[in-house]
Amino acid sequence: MSIINLRFSTKSLQQLPHPKTGCQEYRDIHCPHLRALVYQKSITLAFRATINNQRIYETLGTFPLIGVEDARLHTMTLLGRKKRLAIQSRRYTVEQAINDLWLPDMQLYKKSPQSELSKLNRYILPFWGQRRLRDITAGEIEKFAADLRSTLRPATINRLLALLSKICSLAVRAEWINHSPMTHVRYLKENNVRYRTLSATEIPLFIAATEALNTPAADAILLALYTGMRIGEVCTLKWEYWHPDAQQLLLPDTKSGHPFTCPLAKPAVAIIQRQAQLALSTTWIFPRLTDATRQLSYPRETFARICRDAGIANLRMHDLRRTFATRVLQATSDIAMASRLLNHHSLTATRRYAFHNAADTQSVVTQVVDSFK
């Protein structure tokens, strides 16, 4: 049906005939972007415009629940946001949002975005990169998450969902889209309790396999075991952090938000000295072999090779930090000391490692059971 021009008023809309089938569209002669869509049993007032060759449509409400004057005012408000409408008419993709919005945001506010970049390149960009932001639905995102259940842990999938949520939120803030499709997406239930540490027999095997590789990546992994530092902190160590006289590393900024003084044992000092002798970079203690001007990337493949050579299964990078914490608690029974060495912001985080110190609990249990006799 062709569009009919009409001077909108409460009376004129009430007198409009209702078609038996389909919809008849009317255009307000005083506000051409305001339309009345007359159906068999209802009248819908809507805003319509064409900007940059893109048609924009937005429902305002059902007449008479929304009056003519209110609809005109809303239409003029929408027209006043012509810049926003022009932006939203463009077909922005997820890849554009990552390059133009997410990456600058990460450079400003994220200390070490390597993990996020890895997830983007492996999972987000291949699947979502060329999709238009405004076309993505919550159902599609949940199906994407469901398809990953067979290969990834719930915690990892939730990190991917959090990445998508951040990208969409930045797009909303930039007015590329009206609302985020992540708003109604539910995250998966996680079970993050993990008890794995290197055993007394596995530790020498792991160290031997690591030393045999003799690469900056292998040395970085070994330093993570010797210090309990997060692997991301080790990969971003700079020579300016190294204080040879005190034999310690001073990290000015860490995940906890505080500077961290990391004391080094002799094997850890030897690793730093070995890197100094190699002199691969004047900035990074552990640079990339392919580009010494850049910090070491996450040594996932090197870690997998070490575990394979040592014959160690079911080990993750963070288990090295857990192993260090366990040994500190076993040696000192001092959770405050362990917290300082791990650079935890509070003892609550350190208590996650306390269950590994089984010597004291075993002694208590033995005393209790003996008292039963």
Side-chain angles (χ1 to χ4, degrees), residues 54 91-94 128 130-136:
Q54 296 294 318
R91 301 178 179 182
Y92 288 108
T93 64
V94 172
W128 297 103
Q130 299 307 311
R131 288 293 306 278
R132 287 185 293 183
L133 284 163
R134 66 182 187 181
D135 295 337
I136 297 174

Side-chain angles (χ1 to χ4, degrees), residues 124 128 141 144 160-169 182:
I124 303 296
W128 297 103
I141 295 175
F144 166 74
L160 295 175
L161 294 177
L163 272 175
L164 281 172
S165 180
K166 182 64 175 180
I167 293 167
C168 292
S169 296
M182 282 295 302

Side-chain angles (χ1 to χ4, degrees), residues 101-340:
L101 304 176
W102 184 85
L103 283 175
D105 185 82
M106 286 295 102
Q107 291 168 357
L108 278 174
Y109 300 110
K110 188 74 173 180
K111 299 183 183 72
S112 181
Q114 289 88 351
S115 177
E116 285 82 358
L117 286 171
S118 175
K119 291 181 177 65
L120 278 175
N121 293 326
R122 294 183 68 185
Y123 300 105
I124 303 296
L125 281 172
F127 191 91
W128 297 103
Q130 299 307 311
R131 288 293 306 278
R132 287 185 293 183
L133 284 163
R134 66 182 187 181
D135 295 337
I136 297 174
T137 66
E140 289 178 307
I141 295 175
E142 289 188 336
K143 185 178 184 304
F144 166 74
D147 291 341
L148 294 174
R149 288 294 298 268
S150 60
T151 56
L152 298 178
R153 293 179 294 117
T156 304
I157 296 174
N158 284 344
R159 302 302 174 272
L160 295 175
L161 294 177
L163 272 175
L164 281 172
S165 180
K166 182 64 175 180
I167 293 167
C168 292
S169 296
L170 290 171
V172 171
R173 191 175 70 180
E175 297 186 336
W176 287 15
I177 51 177
N178 279 326
H179 66 277
S180 170
M182 282 295 302
T183 302
H184 302 292
V185 174
R186 293 176 297 177
Y187 285 76
L188 304 182
K189 185 177 181 181
E190 298 182 21
N191 180 13
N192 291 327
V193 178
R194 183 169 170 83
Y195 303 92
R196 181 72 164 98
T197 63
L198 285 168
S199 67
T201 56
E202 289 175 329
I203 289 176
L205 296 175
F206 185 89
I207 294 174
T210 307
E211 291 177 339
L213 291 182
N214 195 27
T215 64
D219 279 352
I221 292 171
L222 196 55
L223 187 66
L225 175 63
Y226 286 157
T227 62
M229 282 196 294
R230 303 172 182 89
I231 190 62
E233 294 171 344
V234 175
C235 291
T236 56
L237 287 175
K238 295 182 178 181
W239 284 114
E240 63 189 73
Y241 303 165
W242 167 234
H243 297 269
D245 294 339
Q247 293 194 342
Q248 62 186 20
L249 292 162
L250 179 57
L251 282 65
D253 193 15
T254 62
K255 182 180 178 181
S256 66
H258 302 282
F260 173 49
T261 300
C262 180
L264 303 182
K266 288 184 179 180
V269 171
I271 291 175
I272 303 295
Q273 292 174 340
R274 183 159 60 245
Q275 296 305 310
Q277 292 173 357
L278 292 174
L280 297 176
S281 171
T282 57
T283 303
W284 307 105
I285 294 180
F286 299 105
R288 297 187 187 185
L289 290 178
T290 55
D291 185 359
T293 63
R294 301 175 65 186
Q295 67 190 46
L296 181 69
S297 59
Y298 192 87
R300 182 179 292 101
E301 294 181 0
T302 301
F303 183 76
R305 180 177 176 182
I306 291 170
C307 292
R308 184 172 61 251
D309 293 347
I312 299 173
N314 187 32
L315 189 72
R316 300 173 188 166
M317 193 80 73
H318 198 73
D319 294 338
L320 303 182
R321 182 170 167 85
R322 190 175 291 107
T323 299
F324 179 83
T326 301
R327 293 291 168 150
V328 171
L329 289 169
Q330 289 175 348
T332 66
S333 297
D334 187 345
I335 196 168
M337 173 65 72
S339 183
R340 289 198 298 272

Side-chain angles (χ1 to χ4, degrees), residues 34-86:
L34 176 59
R35 307 297 174 88
L37 308 178
V38 182
Y39 298 94
Q40 185 177 4
K41 295 183 179 181
S42 64
I43 299 177
T44 298
L45 296 180
F47 167 81
R48 282 194 176 177
T50 301
I51 299 177
N52 294 341
N53 297 320
Q54 296 294 318
R55 298 185 66 185
I56 299 173
Y57 171 82
E58 185 170 329
T59 299
L60 304 180
T62 302
F63 176 82
L65 295 179
I66 180 172
V68 173
E69 290 305 320
D70 287 341
R72 282 177 179 158
L73 181 62
H74 196 173
T75 299
M76 296 307 295
T77 301
L78 291 174
L79 284 174
R81 301 175 191 164
K82 200 166 185 178
K83 179 181 177 180
R84 180 178 68 86
L85 295 172

